[in-house]
Amino acid sequence: MDQMTPQRLTVLGHAQRLAIFRLLMRRYPDRLPAGEIGAALELKPSTLSAYLAALSEVGLIGQTRAGTSLRYGIEMETVRSLFDALLIDCCQGRPDICSPLAQPDPSGDPAMTRSAAGRKFNVLFICTGNSARSILAETILRARAGDRFNAYSAGTKPYSELNPFAMQVLRDKGHDVTPLRAKTIAEFQGEDAPPLDFVFTVCDLAANEECPPWPGQPISGHWGMADPVKATGTEVERALAFQQAYGALLRRVEAFAALPLTTLDRIALQSAVDDIGRN
């Protein structure tokens, strides 16, 4: 076992340092300013600074400078080596007990084999309110690749309403908005919920929140983008923000729909999903 492993486990053994680590894992590959991390976890600047320093010291997170501010993000290679060291040490390298999470399936099977029987992939887009961005993404995927995907969307807030600007953009693009309604993630966490293959957050606030683990371990990704609902100015300027959001989501959805899902292993597929979120 790597000599740093005990130190890294000690750092992660503190509840609030672990919370920072989990937040940055949910937002990977994003790098966040300290202020956003502190606001999401309700930590004082002095306390947060000490926790970030501890995580950085053992190599679990790194920092980059963007203008005058520092941004923090996961050092994924270090995290993978930590998990691999634990599993290999505990399991003595026996795949019949467990296998390193950071390694491809030794069988070489693609990640999305369940579609071999003809079932469509189930994709859920999440935002806080389910009023605009997630609704746009759901509609675009259904229109562009509805023969291969069941597209859903939901919000983390207990109640929301569809945004009229978002609805107008969809109508202008020729989409049928009749089936659309604002929903919460509770609809996708019960026994009767569809088994999810992909879960994407399309706003930073939703990604910052902790959601219960999804059954079946779907591929997850963060496709954060500016909230058009918060756009100010004239009605024309606000409408333009929704047009821009639609265009950005269209590019990402089309890139996602073009992936050879049935031939990629889980790690390659996760990497491709992360790359789409960066663009």
Side-chain angles (χ1 to χ4, degrees):
M1 183 177 291
D2 189 294
Q3 62 179 0
M4 289 294 294
T5 297
Q7 298 178 45
R8 288 167 180 152
L9 292 176
T10 298
V11 169
L12 292 177
H14 184 280
Q16 290 180 311
R17 290 195 293 260
L18 179 60
I20 295 171
F21 176 80
R22 295 179 66 185
L23 169 61
L24 293 176
M25 283 293 288
R26 291 195 299 275
R27 290 292 302 274
Y28 180 82
D30 287 0
R31 289 182 174 262
L32 309 185
E36 183 173 345
I37 299 171
L41 299 177
E42 298 182 347
L43 294 173
K44 296 179 180 179
S46 57
T47 302
L48 175 64
S49 178
Y51 293 159
L52 290 172
L55 289 163
S56 299
E57 186 175 346
V58 296
L60 291 171
I61 68 172
Q63 63 182 32
T64 56
R65 182 169 293 280
T68 59
S69 66
L70 294 176
R71 293 180 175 266
Y72 298 86
I74 289 293
E75 293 294 324
M76 191 55 71
E77 289 305 314
T78 301
V79 172
R80 285 174 176 158
S81 67
L82 171 62
F83 292 161
D84 281 355
L86 284 173
L87 291 170
I88 292 173
D89 185 70
C90 291
C91 301
Q92 298 297 304
R94 291 178 53 184
D96 56 318
I97 300 176
C98 57
S99 61
L101 291 177
Q103 298 298 323
D105 183 344
S107 69
D109 289 339
M112 298 284 107
T113 54
R114 285 190 293 174
S115 68
R119 184 180 70 77
K120 294 182 181 179
F121 298 120
N122 293 326
V123 182
L124 176 64
F125 296 97
I126 298 177
C127 203
T128 50
N130 193 214
S131 66
R133 286 166 289 182
S134 52
I135 288 288
L136 294 175
E138 172 192 352
T139 305
I140 293 169
L141 180 59
R142 184 180 297 120
R144 294 284 171 163
D147 58 327
R148 294 185 292 119
F149 298 93
N150 292 317
Y152 307 97
S153 67
T156 58
K157 288 182 178 179
Y159 176 77
S160 183
E161 293 181 349
L162 299 179
N163 184 279
F165 280 99
M167 294 302 97
Q168 191 58 51
V169 167
L170 292 175
R171 292 189 190 96
D172 291 344
K173 301 293 183 182
H175 295 290
D176 178 13
V177 300
T178 306
L180 298 178
R181 62 185 178 88
K183 305 169 292 299
T184 71
I185 59 173
E187 290 194 22
F188 299 91
Q189 294 174 328
E191 293 182 0
D192 297 331
L196 297 173
D197 298 297
F198 297 91
V199 176
F200 298 125
T201 50
V202 292
C203 73
D204 293 343
L205 290 178
N208 287 349
E209 297 179 16
E210 280 206 52
C211 291
W214 298 100
Q217 296 183 323
I219 300 288
S220 62
H222 177 54
W223 293 355
M225 55 187 302
D227 186 359
V229 175
K230 295 182 179 179
T232 58
T234 66
E235 185 168 319
V236 172
E237 290 170 331
R238 294 174 63 197
L240 178 60
F242 283 87
Q243 291 281 356
Q244 292 171 334
Y246 179 94
L249 286 167
L250 175 63
R251 290 190 294 273
R252 291 177 177 180
V253 167
E254 289 185 333
F256 168 68
L259 294 175
L261 303 183
T262 59
T263 63
L264 294 176
D265 63 38
R266 188 177 182 89
I267 294 195
L269 186 53
Q270 182 67 66
S271 178
V273 164
D274 290 338
D275 286 342
I276 291 172
R278 293 186 181 98
N279 299 321

